[in-house]
Amino acid sequence: MSSIPSIPENTPHILVLGMGGTIAGLAPNPKENPLQYQAGQVGVESLVNHIQSAIPGGIKLVSRQLANINSRNLSEPLLTGLGLAVREAINNPAVKGLVITHGTDTIEETGLFLQATCGKLAQTQAKRVILTGAMLPSNAPGADGPSNLLDALRWASTAIENCPGGIYAVMDGRGCMAMDLAKRHATALNAPLQNSPSSSVGLINPSWLSGVKAIQAAWNEDLPIPQEDEWPWVEILTSHAGARPETVAHWLNSNVQGFVVAGSGQGGFHDAWAEPLGRAISQGVAVVRTTRTGAGTTLPNIPEADVPGCRAAGTLTAPRARIGLQLALNAAKQANLAGKPMTWQDFFARIADLPEIR
Ligand code: SIN
């Protein structure tokens, strides 16, 4: 990680944290083939310098490179580093807001992670943390990164009356809660926001804003950030035609601590998995059930009675449910170490049962 360039300690600024992604990508032949490129090639300082002249006067920017990766390679230790950096910045009175440049492939996981670990802090400190990225590499004709970054910087530095502090995301001129962000198209410029409840960032939509406030009212306490080497091992298993019991049974001799089952339709899974999943639960593996469709709520005992011990994921998609389950398992472990008898289900319910913006 590179360090923050020195500016006088109390100078108010927006902190831009670079994680990599297509927004920092370079294509060898951008005109002929802009979709063949390498993500995470350009430093965050260059991305900021590129749009410096368009940034509203008076806003001081500080950039810090935390990683420069293709986000398909996002790791749990990197999430720990990002979460700690975000918390530290929110608690720094000189930081007025944060922008995070990130790959869009796994921005869904990072959005949920930051909401669950830093959402309350951002709200109470009245600071916006804004994730952004791009679908085209930085040297492609019509690259979307500069305008996304500019929108994110403007929103991060807008007076807080416009919309409360919290964890948000910006793509293609629209803003949403970061926990609602999900890439649902391989190439479209608005891919990460296509199915997310959102608002224009220029003119905040009142009904979206009241949805944000309902979620923030229900989110009472941030979960602990797992230490780099303490993330519970959780796998996503996708049910499909021809699913075999061995796909689940295979794991039962491993140290896996949780499964997120991405079921079909309303979150049902192949009958062949009922017996090995029951065995997994009786061995102490945490099992959460969601839908592989990518949208909609998974309800308890729908479409049929749950395998005892299996928890429906509510509004969480499979990638979000995986992060949520990891955080819940870790939070329960920390609570038990502190003598509080809480279960992973207690913590998971806080995330999975949040209201939805409609
Ligand atoms: C990545 O997720 O790092 C590559 C894809 C993207 O940013 O759109």
Side-chain angles (χ1 to χ4, degrees):
M1 289 183 195
S2 66
S3 59
I4 303 177
S6 62
I7 55 166
E9 215 173 276
N10 298 326
T11 308
H13 62 274
I14 301 291
L15 180 62
V16 187
L17 297 174
M19 293 291 287
T22 296
I23 192 168
L26 283 178
N29 300 303
K31 289 205 180 95
E32 294 75 35
N33 197 354
L35 295 183
Q36 187 183 81
Y37 64 92
Q38 276 210 299
Q41 300 297 302
V42 181
V44 64
E45 200 173 340
S46 304
L47 300 182
V48 168
N49 286 342
H50 184 65
I51 54 162
Q52 193 85 43
S53 58
I55 292 169
I59 302 176
K60 175 97 193 150
L61 299 180
V62 172
S63 59
R64 182 176 171 195
Q65 194 83 51
L66 292 185
N68 210 351
I69 58 162
N70 185 315
S71 79
R72 67 178 180 226
N73 298 321
L74 184 63
S75 67
E76 288 139 350
L78 279 176
L79 282 177
T80 297
L82 176 64
L84 294 176
V86 167
R87 275 199 189 160
E88 182 189 308
I90 294 173
N91 282 321
N92 178 349
V95 176
K96 298 299 165 198
L98 280 100
V99 169
I100 303 167
T101 55
H102 196 292
T104 62
D105 281 8
T106 59
I107 206 165
E108 179 173 4
E109 279 103 315
T110 298
L112 194 274
F113 167 72
L114 289 176
Q115 171 62 39
T117 57
C118 307
K120 200 68 198 173
L121 183 66
Q123 186 200 340
T124 52
Q125 295 299 312
K127 293 180 186 174
R128 285 192 211 107
V129 177
I130 302 183
L131 276 164
T132 195
M135 293 298 291
L136 290 170
S138 65
N139 61 344
D144 52 332
S147 61
N148 287 342
L149 182 54
L150 203 51
D151 280 343
L153 288 167
R154 287 197 181 117
W155 201 22
S157 52
T158 307
I160 210 74
E161 291 74 42
N162 152 286
C163 170
I167 315 288
Y168 300 98
V170 167
M171 286 292 289
D172 201 32
R174 298 196 67 82
C176 68
M177 290 197 78
M179 60 179 278
D180 283 335
L181 195 66
K183 191 169 187 175
R184 291 289 175 264
H185 192 284
T187 52
L189 290 186
N190 68 348
L193 253 168
Q194 227 170 39
N195 292 336
S196 314
S198 64
S199 167
S200 150
V201 276
L203 189 62
I204 297 292
N205 173 331
S207 82
W208 175 79
L209 189 56
S210 68
V212 170
K213 289 181 176 168
I215 290 172
Q216 292 192 333
W219 184 250
N220 290 320
E221 196 185 353
D222 293 333
L223 299 190
I225 296 173
Q227 288 179 23
E228 286 194 2
D229 55 357
E230 290 219 324
W231 283 77
W233 181 7
V234 173
E235 291 290 334
I236 298 175
L237 305 176
T238 304
S239 183
H240 50 79
R244 297 171 183 216
E246 292 88 335
T247 306
V248 179
H250 162 81
W251 293 96
L252 298 183
N253 293 325
S254 74
N255 293 325
V256 78
Q257 287 161 270
F259 292 137
V260 170
V261 177
S264 48
Q266 298 184 80
F269 48 81
H270 199 292
D271 286 352
W273 283 10
E275 190 278 329
L277 280 174
R279 253 192 302 145
I281 291 167
S282 66
Q283 287 182 21
V285 178
V287 179
V288 158
R289 185 174 62 78
T290 181
T291 168
R292 71 177 196 184
T293 61
T297 305
T298 309
L299 297 169
N301 302 314
I302 302 284
E304 59 249 330
D306 275 324
V307 172
C310 176
R311 178 38 167 107
T315 56
L316 300 176
T317 57
R320 291 184 194 125
R322 180 176 169 275
I323 295 285
L325 182 52
Q326 288 180 296
L327 295 177
L329 284 163
N330 177 62
K333 183 175 154 196
Q334 304 306 327
N336 291 331
L337 287 172
K340 294 183 204 149
M342 296 188 70
T343 64
W344 68 263
Q345 288 91 338
D346 296 328
F347 290 102
F348 189 81
R350 292 189 195 172
I351 314 173
D353 299 342
L354 283 173
E356 275 184 285
I357 304 181
R358 298 189 187 276

